[in-house]
Amino acid sequence: MKAGEIPEHPPIYERLVKERGDVLAETRNAAEQTELQARQALDWSGLRPAQRQSVERNERTFSAFG
């Protein structure tokens, strides 16, 4: 190794992974799960067809003014 080069995974990183677990991988997984949950919670695409059906039903109902 030349002066100034840093190996991809320094030896201390491997030792810490053995002692504490791979915190970076766990954090990455937690972030991916959170993103998936947020996308599902904020996905309103399933509501649009129901809204259209509601409008269609209202068009078929009696109205004294229409």
Side-chain angles (χ1 to χ4, degrees):
M1 176 171 33
K2 297 178 184 176
E5 285 184 7
I6 299 174
E8 188 171 328
H9 292 291
I12 192 168
Y13 178 80
E14 291 178 20
R15 191 181 90 220
L16 287 171
V17 167
K18 288 179 185 176
E19 291 176 7
R20 309 269 175 153
D22 195 348
V23 176
L24 295 177
E26 292 173 17
T27 303
R28 209 172 292 117
N29 289 338
E32 289 171 357
Q33 288 296 318
T34 302
E35 182 181 11
L36 177 64
Q37 291 173 352
R39 284 179 191 253
Q40 291 172 345
L42 298 174
D43 181 13
W44 292 24
S45 62
L47 297 177
R48 291 187 181 130
Q51 191 177 31
R52 287 186 194 132
Q53 291 173 355
S54 176
V55 170
E56 289 172 2
R57 281 188 213 126
N58 288 341
E59 290 174 356
R60 291 185 213 142
T61 60
F62 173 77
S63 172
F65 301 104

